[in-house]
Amino acid sequence: MNKFTLSALLVLSLVVGCSKHDETKPASVTTQSSASTESSAGKVVGFSQIGAESTWRTAETDSIKSEAQKRGVDLRFVDAQGKQENQIKALRAFVAQHVQAIILAPVVETGWEPVLKEVKAAKIPVILVDRGIDVKDESLYATLIASDFVAEGKMAGDWLAKKTEGKANIVELQGTPGAAPANDRKKGFAEAIASHPDMKIIKSQTGNFNRNDGKATMEAFLKSEGKNITAVYAHNDDMALGAIQAIEEAGMKPGKDIIVVSIDGVHDAFQAMVDGKLNCTVECNPLLGPAAFDAVDAVTSGKELPKKTIVKDELFEQDKAKEVIGSRKY
Ligand code: AHR
């Protein structure tokens, strides 16, 4: 199979979360391995995960671990506790263990060149999952399987513009500084509201993609801006759920007094929509295990992969939440 055919196959065969016709079931993202592709059974694969900062991240970890088990892969899993230095150490340890491939979910975009050069020198292919990196030499990784974070931010911004008829005082809860989804979701949202002069981001700070920090940052926003705030844009659901708690503790009604929009589509976010506290979430599918191991199999069989496979996302509003919550997989 030539490079073009394989790329087309991988892109076309992505099975993505929720389609309008398929009643919003977030299925695993899969690629179809060709019959000639080697199977994963018995392979030793390293997986460097960022941590467990969000429900989304745990769902991604579970997807990769369970797919490894299903395929008989010897998975070496290392949780970096949110630190790039720990991920770099894990990659070096994988080289020392002579793994056959590495799956990397990188915490931040920059600073990967030196260690990836060492991995490349050891002839170990690297599959990036969910977040991209900023490197001059793209041969330092085999492929990236991820959502389009700019598009997600834009979807959230367009939705808020429509909901508020272009008038909002927004507070923004950013993800981990330097992370691709934090950078890109900020950019996409800013692009969407740029043509609405009465939509203003009045405060913007990190909540580190976790619930506690999201709540603490929202408390600080409420303290300084109070009732001036009309909307919250959170770069992920966990921070939005923390913000919702802070709004309630301040005696206001999230979803009514303050509109809340976020990204991920985790089960708790759907519950918050059912409860009327969250207005909208943009799904970002974390079920990347099948696609990641299809990529491992392809690349270890000497096949070239497309540099990027984009996972498609969909937006969910409150009115749909009740109908689909029972079919959510994460
Ligand atoms: O990279 C994906 C983002 O990272 C998810 O939106 C977030 O929940 C996670 O921690």
Side-chain angles (χ1 to χ4, degrees):
M1 193 183 305
N2 64 30
K3 184 180 164 186
F4 176 78
T5 316
L6 181 72
S7 304
L9 209 168
L10 280 165
V11 173
L12 283 172
S13 63
L14 267 178
V15 176
V16 181
C18 320
S19 84
K20 285 244 153 63
H21 315 287
D22 188 23
E23 265 333 328
T24 64
K25 282 197 199 92
S28 300
V29 178
T30 56
T31 57
Q32 288 166 3
S33 310
S34 74
S36 58
T37 299
E38 230 178 273
S39 95
S40 325
K43 277 190 190 134
V44 183
V45 176
F47 173 31
S48 169
Q49 177 57 293
I50 293 164
E53 74 283 2
S54 64
T55 321
W56 187 100
R57 178 88 25 224
T58 309
E60 185 193 54
T61 299
D62 291 349
S63 172
I64 291 178
K65 281 186 174 174
S66 66
E67 191 64 24
Q69 201 179 15
K70 206 162 106 190
R71 297 188 185 210
V73 171
D74 176 359
L75 189 72
R76 312 281 164 93
F77 173 76
V78 182
D79 176 333
Q81 317 264 318
K83 293 198 174 106
Q84 185 182 33
E85 70 215 56
N86 290 343
Q87 292 203 286
I88 291 171
K89 272 188 212 153
L91 295 194
R92 292 199 170 119
F94 293 151
V95 171
Q97 291 165 31
H98 305 290
V99 301
Q100 280 146 293
I102 292 174
I103 300 172
L104 169 65
V107 60
V108 289
E109 290 191 279
T110 56
W112 295 102
E113 260 112 347
V115 70
L116 288 182
K117 278 183 186 158
E118 293 169 36
V119 175
K120 188 181 172 189
K123 297 193 173 21
I124 300 171
V126 175
I127 317 294
L128 297 177
V129 287
D130 103 65
R131 294 184 182 182
I133 56 173
D134 189 2
V135 285
K136 279 201 190 94
D137 177 5
E138 286 205 330
S139 76
L140 291 176
Y141 63 92
T143 191
L144 162 67
I145 303 162
S147 290
D148 181 341
F149 299 133
V150 176
E152 290 174 343
K154 194 165 178 327
M155 274 196 253
D158 287 339
W159 177 85
L160 189 63
K162 203 167 164 208
K163 175 82 180 169
T164 61
E165 293 173 354
K167 269 197 186 112
N169 284 340
I170 307 155
V171 293
E172 179 182 34
L173 290 163
Q174 296 179 40
T176 312
N183 296 339
D184 293 353
R185 288 172 183 168
K186 183 169 187 46
K187 185 170 176 246
F189 186 83
E191 275 172 23
I193 66 165
S195 53
H196 301 278
D198 292 331
M199 291 183 83
K200 293 185 187 82
I201 299 181
I202 55 172
K203 290 270 169 190
S204 181
Q205 258 176 49
T206 187
N208 291 311
F209 279 133
N210 72 66
R211 219 172 274 208
N212 287 345
D213 290 358
K215 180 170 185 257
T217 304
M218 188 66 203
E219 283 166 354
F221 288 162
L222 285 162
K223 214 169 168 190
S224 63
E225 296 294 332
K227 292 210 159 78
N228 195 24
I229 302 168
T230 61
V232 175
Y233 166 48
H235 290 188
N236 83 344
D237 286 341
D238 279 74
M239 293 189 294
L241 293 164
I244 284 170
Q245 257 180 286
I247 295 168
E248 285 181 318
E249 285 172 18
M252 283 182 264
K253 287 197 175 80
K256 292 188 179 71
D257 299 332
I258 297 179
I259 305 292
V260 187
V261 55
S262 64
I263 298 172
D264 270 1
V266 299
H267 189 275
D268 286 357
F270 276 81
Q271 188 57 56
M273 287 200 287
V274 169
D275 297 340
K277 297 176 181 183
L278 177 73
N279 300 85
C280 174
T281 187
V282 177
E283 180 178 61
C284 176
N285 195 332
L287 307 178
L288 302 178
F293 287 103
D294 281 354
V296 166
D297 288 347
V299 82
T300 53
S301 311
K303 298 194 168 110
E304 228 178 293
L305 291 169
K307 221 60 214 177
K308 186 168 183 180
T309 299
I310 295 176
V311 181
K312 258 174 97 195
D313 301 311
E314 190 180 344
L315 182 143
F316 294 92
E317 295 180 278
Q318 257 181 15
D319 60 353
K320 264 263 173 174
K322 228 186 205 147
E323 195 186 309
V324 301
I325 191 168
S327 61
R328 301 297 301 167
K329 291 198 174 144
Y330 62 96

